[in-house]
Amino acid sequence: MKSGMMGREMAKEQWKGIGSMKIIQQEIQEDRDLIRQKVVEHNRKNLPELQDRPYGNISFIARDDEDGVIGGITCTYYWQQLHIDFLWVDPAQRGSGIASRLVGKAERYARELECRLMTVDTFSFQAPDFYRKQGVPGIRQNRRPSGRPQPALF
């Protein structure tokens, strides 16, 4: 970014081959979806062997006797891999095995989809030891925004 161009909107500039353009800081779901769609289209064109593989989202929710949510796991799957996006268990229920059962459900679902890889990212203050107990094989050290190491488990 050129100096003096900080802020919500960059001034229009001349760019070789495209005339003028501007870059805007925003958060519009429709535009986010468009960018994602375009990347997926590009990837699908370049990965023809994975065209028939399923992709989407799945979640498993744990409910108590009153039908209240006491835990859940949300996942994204694509190109023979499943990524755990979020795993949460009510603090009063932690240690009861709910999280292990949720991860187990996600793993069985990944096997049904014939996924070859299941991934998860976690901060050190979340549950790295839990994921190790689940058999997650490797840890990569990422940096937290504060600069302290943070494990990312795969």
Side-chain angles (χ1 to χ4, degrees), residues 43-55:
N43 291 348
R44 289 179 67 86
K45 267 193 255 179
N46 288 283
L47 296 169
E49 69 277 11
L50 299 178
Q51 287 295 323
D52 297 333
R53 296 294 177 181
Y55 61 93

Side-chain angles (χ1 to χ4, degrees), residues 12-47:
K12 284 189 179 182
E13 295 184 48
Q14 293 297 317
W15 289 77
K16 184 176 182 177
I18 61 170
S20 67
M21 71 166 215
K22 60 184 173 180
I23 297 176
I24 302 168
Q25 179 181 333
Q26 64 175 38
E27 187 52 41
I28 299 173
Q29 189 63 44
E30 182 179 314
D31 291 343
R32 288 178 62 89
D33 293 344
L34 173 71
I35 299 305
R36 183 180 188 282
Q37 174 190 341
K38 295 300 182 183
V39 170
V40 168
E41 286 173 8
H42 174 75
N43 291 348
R44 289 179 67 86
K45 267 193 255 179
N46 288 283
L47 296 169

